[in-house]
Amino acid sequence: MSVYPWQSELLQKLSDDRARMPHAILLYGSSGIGKYDFARQLAKSLLCLTPVASGEPCETCASCGWYLQDNHPDFRLLTPEQDAENEQNSAAAKKNARKTQISVAQVRELGSFLELSSHQSNGLRVVLIEPAESLNAASANSLLKMLEEPPAGVIFILVSHQINRLLPTIISRCRKIDMPFPDRATALAWLNQQGMKNAEQLLDYYGGAPLNVVRNNGQDAGTESANLFLQGNNLDPFLAASKSVLLGMEVALDALQKWVYDLLSARLTGQVRYYNRHATALQALSKEVDLSMLLDFQRQLDEARKSANHPLNNELQLETIFLTYTQLFMKKTG
Ligand SMILES: [Zn+2]
């Protein structure tokens, strides 16, 4: 494995600068562009005893071997999942299975790791924190103390999709790296290489972020949903809800939010973003919608998205949403 093609220049640059590597770096940018994979590869490369000229790890030294086995004594990973593992014994924690925070206990545990010295001749140790926005107030403050007095040879790598949610004092302790977003041609070439079918259409649907296409296994929620949305006020809300609910509430709402984004964008700028294949139809439909109702509908979808994980009656909720959708159109369409 190596970093993604749109990241190789950055890895090279960081590697050339290895001697002056700051003790904390913050990799930030959109979701779905491979920040975490890059961070993992960078960590492995920093720990590698004989990295190659491109900055990639050698994959053959003892350090690379430990890393591959998830067993490197000089490496620590902090994620919310780890939190769930640590609290497995608590019944309350089990109930609340979806972990979203890195706890202060997790950060404190780092303390003893930081007191040790490196197991290797290069003297480096790496702590990877992902996503950094999952630090809560207590754990962020605890980490801040470590960043203020960094032990020799330790490099902190923080990864963030939402840098505006981090404490400014944490950001100021890190070298910020704006992670490259692949251009369309590069992303398409890479997706084709992965054997992804309908790569163009999917890349549009996932907002140009190739890793989100792969993460969703090329799930083409857009095609099926678009066939429904295209019907405008001829859409049968009950039929649409019974079909959409099979996608799962989050996916169904995501598909509709993107459609509504495109409707609004077609109306205001003539451009669409997610459903390029239907650009002409969207432009025609957008002329039929009541603009203020469309804006209200967009807000309604945002609200529904927030509660998408609640055990509500999803199909019923979708019926209401689709009924409102059909009412957006002032004239009979189709
Ligand atoms: Zn190596």
Side-chain angles (χ1 to χ4, degrees), residues 44-45 47-52 56-65:
K44 188 176 174 190
S45 166
L47 294 167
C48 174
L49 300 171
T50 52
V52 298
E56 296 280 357
C58 75
E59 308 287 352
T60 54
C61 71
S63 172
C64 285

Side-chain angles (χ1 to χ4, degrees), residues 197-247:
K197 294 196 178 75
N198 301 326
E200 277 198 60
Q201 196 177 311
L202 287 166
L203 189 63
D204 285 342
Y205 185 73
Y206 288 104
L211 270 296
N212 283 346
V213 176
V214 173
R215 230 166 260 155
N216 291 288
N217 295 315
Q219 184 188 22
D220 197 359
T223 297
E224 209 178 320
S225 303
N227 289 335
L228 296 171
F229 307 155
L230 279 167
Q231 296 169 33
N233 63 2
N234 290 321
L235 179 74
D236 178 339
F238 304 101
L239 195 65
S242 70
K243 279 189 179 172
S244 287
V245 79
L246 301 176
L247 296 169

Side-chain angles (χ1 to χ4, degrees), residues 269-288:
T269 71
Q271 304 291 313
V272 300
R273 179 174 180 194
Y274 300 107
Y275 293 91
N276 266 309
R277 265 190 333 150
H278 300 295
T280 315
L282 274 159
Q283 277 148 5
L285 273 177
S286 74
K287 294 189 181 108
E288 308 290 330

